[in-house]
């Protein structure tokens, strides 16, 4: 069975970030639609089903080149947003050991060790320094 599926998927696009994103949106939409009135629910169901069809189309598509290009476009368009959440996740993971400050002049995020008292933070990008309590 596994082998059969593997053979079936040869030369096809398979799952990628764009497909995963669309399927998550469709799932979330279906959950939200449960709390809506009938008309809105039908509309959201319809859109979610279209989304699922689109995902299957992309996963099984043989035009890998075009699907890759779409995925690249999606990744480029969402690079800032994904970077923002990645930064949040990183900061949360390091919250015990580090404090994070934004440079007041160039907005770069700076990381300093926790528990050093009042220290002068020097921006590694633009050289601006400012005093912060760690
Ligand atoms: Zn700076």
């Amino acid at each position: 069975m596994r082998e059969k599926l593997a053979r079936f998927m040869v030369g096809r696009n398979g799952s990628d970030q764009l497909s995963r994103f669309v399927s998550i949106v469709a799932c979330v939409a279906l959950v939200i639609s449960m709390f809506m009135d009938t008309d809105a629910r039908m509309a959201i169901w319809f859109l979610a089903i279209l989304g699922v069809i689109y995902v299957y189309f992309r996963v099984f598509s043989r035009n890998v080149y075009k699907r890759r290009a779409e995925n690249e476009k999606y990744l480029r368009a969402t690079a800032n947003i994904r970077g923002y959440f990645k930064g949040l996740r990183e900061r949360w993971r390091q919250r015990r050991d580090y404090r994070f400050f934004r440079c007041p002049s160039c907005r770069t995020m700076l990381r300093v060790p926790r528990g050093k008292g009042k220290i002068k933070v020097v921006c590694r990008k633009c050289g601006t320094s400012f005093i912060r309590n760690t």
Side-chain angles (χ1 to χ4, degrees):
M1 182 61 210
R2 241 187 129 84
E3 214 171 281
K4 241 181 182 169
L5 183 69
R7 212 174 308 138
F8 177 71
M9 288 308 291
V10 167
R12 295 177 195 265
N13 190 51
S15 182
D16 59 16
Q17 289 94 337
L18 176 56
S19 295
R20 276 199 290 277
F21 174 73
V22 174
S23 31
I24 289 169
V25 169
C27 284
V28 171
L30 286 177
V31 171
I32 292 173
S33 74
M34 293 194 294
F35 303 98
M36 297 189 152
D37 64 70
T38 316
D39 284 348
R41 192 182 303 157
M42 291 305 283
I44 291 176
W45 265 87
F46 182 69
L47 288 174
I49 298 296
L50 279 186
V52 170
I53 291 171
Y54 180 61
V55 167
Y56 275 98
F57 160 74
R58 295 196 74 258
V59 168
F60 297 128
S61 171
R62 286 182 186 279
N63 194 345
V64 175
Y65 179 78
K66 203 165 175 200
R67 301 290 89 79
R68 289 245 169 96
E70 290 164 1
N71 194 49
E72 284 297 315
K73 211 166 153 193
Y74 158 75
L75 289 177
R76 264 198 309 276
T78 58
N80 282 338
I81 288 181
R82 285 180 302 109
Y84 173 76
F85 283 109
K86 202 174 162 199
L88 275 188
R89 216 161 43 228
E90 245 350 275
R91 261 141 65 199
W92 179 253
R93 203 172 295 150
Q94 301 178 8
R95 71 193 179 282
R96 276 179 221 282
D97 303 319
Y98 296 97
R99 287 209 64 179
F100 293 85
F101 300 112
R102 212 173 263 290
C103 169
S105 81
C106 72
R107 315 287 302 149
T108 301
M109 192 58 81
L110 302 168
R111 189 184 76 170
V112 296
R114 243 178 217 287
K116 302 274 182 197
K118 264 193 189 336
I119 58 165
K120 188 169 89 169
V121 181
V122 180
C123 175
R124 59 186 148 71
K125 204 169 170 193
C126 69
T128 305
S129 63
F130 50 98
I131 308 291
R132 283 289 183 280
N133 198 359
T134 62

